[in-house]
Amino acid sequence: MKQATAANRPHDLPGRYRPALAPLLFLLVAFATLAGMAAPVYAQTISISDISQSEGDSGTTYFEFRVTYNGPPLASDVTFGLDTSSGTATEDVDYEAFHIPPVLTMGSPSDGSYFPFSVSVTADTTYEPDEFFYINITGATGAAVLDGQGLGTILNDDPPPPLVQIDPPDGATLMAGVVGVSYSDTSIQAQFGTGSNAFYAINMPPGLGIDIVSGAITGTPSAAGTFNPTVTLVDTGYGGSAVVANYTITIAPTPAITVVSPASGSTAGGTTISISGTGLTGTSAVVVGGAAATGIAVVSDTLVTAITPAHAAGPADVSVTTPGGTTTLPAVFTYIAPLRPDPTQDAEVQGLINAQAQAAERFATTQIDNFNDRLGQLHDEQSRQAQSLGIQMGVTPGNGVAPMGYVEQAPVDDPAGRAMGLPPAGSPALPVEPLFSDTAFWSGGFINFGTTSSGTIDLGHTLVGVSGGVDHRFTPDFVAGIGFGYGRDRTDIGSNGTTSSGQAVSAAVYGSYHPAPFYLDGLIGISRLDFDSTRYVTATGGFAYGNRDGTQLFASLSAGYEYRQDGLVVSPYGRLDAAVTRLDGFVETGAGANNLAFGAQGFDMLAGIVGVSAQYAIPMEWGVLSPRARLEYTHDFAGSSQASIGYADLGTLPYTLTLDDVLHDYLTLGFGLDARFDADMTLSLDYRTGLSTNGNGRNHTIGIRLSGGF
């Protein structure tokens, strides 16, 4: 009940009289008179009323009381005080208490005169029992107190609370538990009611109990099984109700493994094992050696069967997961590798490893050739500003590899230009068109088709290499730039479907210093390699698939001299090409027990090239025709490389494969023809052939290039 305000307001309203006490008062007065007592005799009385009233739903409700005078008229006043006291109602909560000393006055009252006053009662909407409080007359003078205590009854006018409900409802399944594992389920909640609740439970799983206030079920289960506890929720508030709900709690046993049979199987997997133990009902996962088993079947609470996955040879742990947790029996199953042939003797394996090594070297030589081609153009400003786009196509049959040293070296003094009437080197510079500047962009590349022999299997490849960049002439004799390249290679290995596909993304910086008649060209770059492989499995006729990445550094340094006489240019030169390649290890998939694992692999290239080139410009009516010739000698200083191999399920790499040696010494003879037209377009045809000095290899290259200014 809420507090309210008391008020004292005198009013004249009909009095209240208590006839049962009047004869007693008369006898007391008569007795006192006969006894000669000096006490005053009152023929007049005062009494206080009672009141019963509803409290209301909001604000304050005033309970009106009266102090009434009964008797003959008085010439004097009647004074008194009022004091509240509590019954079941709480002062200053349900009603406003007050304490008034005897200063209240009824002046010259006559029969029926009364003194009204009110008590403030707090209204609310809480369902509760009727409550009461008292009003007492204190310190009365001038009249006797006939009834000195008034009763104020606060009548409840609010509806009873709704019935309490429990959630989850009757019949629900509560959280499952595990023997010996701490348990806590806080899902049981009271709804509606007065909000004052108590929870009680019977038939709980051993080790569990319910909190009387919150309803949380906690503890550590000590026995397995399915239990049906009954929970009673009591609304302890006034007018509260109760509800009963029956639940299900399943306590699972902790699983245990005792025996795995058989105790060994193939590294290829596929062995059906029987796992014996306890608490295996509800098994959801079986793991052998860290890999998930398949075909899981729960036979009983003490037996589960499963099929082992593939795994490396050696002991393996077996784990079982049930609703009661996961249990592991260490080193209980042993993987045994089947007898298999040495993979390094397989022609498909030999061909695949050699194909990736040769492709990595081709990626390096492709970018070196493309950037050196641009460096050759930097010797002559008009050729540099042409920003040519070139394509070469080549065929290299035989059992050798393409030489690394063919680089087009453009002369400082352009003989074709002089044949067309342009000034020779050293002449005063002609006015430069606004189109040209000290910065130029360029792009170029070639397509190469070839075949080589790797032991007992042939390799046929197709390689596309492109490069592009931007360079700036810092001084008349020095130009430097930055470029980027991309290469893509596909090699078909034998005739059974084994292939290797690779790609390289490159970046390089380069520069040319050419104080005529000498020049010095250099470049250094880096590539990121990626290879995908498909290997024919000789033993099964299936295929194994793999992927490996790698990193490559490449560099080249060239120096030469250019002799010019009329339309003839002769240039002896020397060059060093180098590359360092590292390929990551990888593991094949798709071939089961025949999957191979390949270790990380590294190989280097260091080639020295010496040569001489000649070119002669012949003026024609339509432009200039320039035949060319070149002779080179190449020596590769790098040695062979080795690859570590093993069967994937063994976890080791016990086999070593030595890669085929590349051609270490060979001669290259080249011929070419440039047709430069008046429209500043040039068509170039090239042929070159390489022959190893020991007669083990020979290659041929045919190229065509079209370039022009734009």
Side-chain angles (χ1 to χ4, degrees), residues 429-441:
L430 294 176
V432 179
E433 297 293 331
L435 172 66
F436 302 118
S437 67
D438 288 335
T439 301
F441 298 85

Side-chain angles (χ1 to χ4, degrees), residues 521-534:
D521 297 338
L523 67 93
I524 184 170
I526 185 171
S527 298
R528 183 63 180 169
L529 310 179
D530 178 76
F531 287 97
D532 291 316
S533 62
T534 300

Side-chain angles (χ1 to χ4, degrees), residues 46 157 188 215 239 339 360 421 455 468 514 581 588 599 612 626 696 698:
I46 57 174
D157 58 357
I188 298 178
L339 296 177
H514 42 271
T581 304
E588 292 179 325
V612 61
S626 301
N696 291 333
R698 184 182 180 89

Side-chain angles (χ1 to χ4, degrees), residues 16 19 63 67 116 139 154 191 217 238 242 262 286 309 311 316 394 530 625:
R16 186 176 140 213
F63 279 39
V67 176
I154 305 172
Q191 295 181 339
I217 298 177
Y238 181 75
V286 174
H311 192 274
D530 178 76
L625 185 65

Side-chain angles (χ1 to χ4, degrees), residues 154-197:
I154 305 172
L155 301 177
N156 175 71
D157 58 357
D158 298 306
L163 296 178
V164 70
Q165 296 183 17
I166 192 169
D167 184 63
D170 180 61
T173 297
L174 302 183
M175 186 181 78
V178 179
V179 172
V181 179
S182 180
Y183 180 97
S184 179
D185 187 339
T186 60
S187 63
I188 298 178
Q189 302 290 329
Q191 295 181 339
F192 309 112
T194 65
S196 179
N197 304 301

Side-chain angles (χ1 to χ4, degrees), residues 20 29 35 43 91 121 124 135 161 173 177 231 265 318 368 409 449 476 567 607 676 684:
V29 172
E91 69 176 38
V121 173
D124 62 27
I135 301 293
T173 297
V231 175
V318 175
I368 289 174
Q409 303 287 352
F449 307 91
R676 184 169 178 178
S684 300

Side-chain angles (χ1 to χ4, degrees), residues 360 363 503-504 527-531 548-552 581 583:
F363 283 138
Q503 58 182 353
S527 298
R528 183 63 180 169
L529 310 179
D530 178 76
F531 287 97
R548 73 191 313 183
D549 298 326
T551 303
Q552 184 178 77
T581 304
L583 298 181

Side-chain angles (χ1 to χ4, degrees), residues 622-633:
W622 42 264
V624 178
L625 185 65
S626 301
R628 293 177 284 106
R630 178 184 301 272
L631 178 64
E632 287 182 348
Y633 170 74

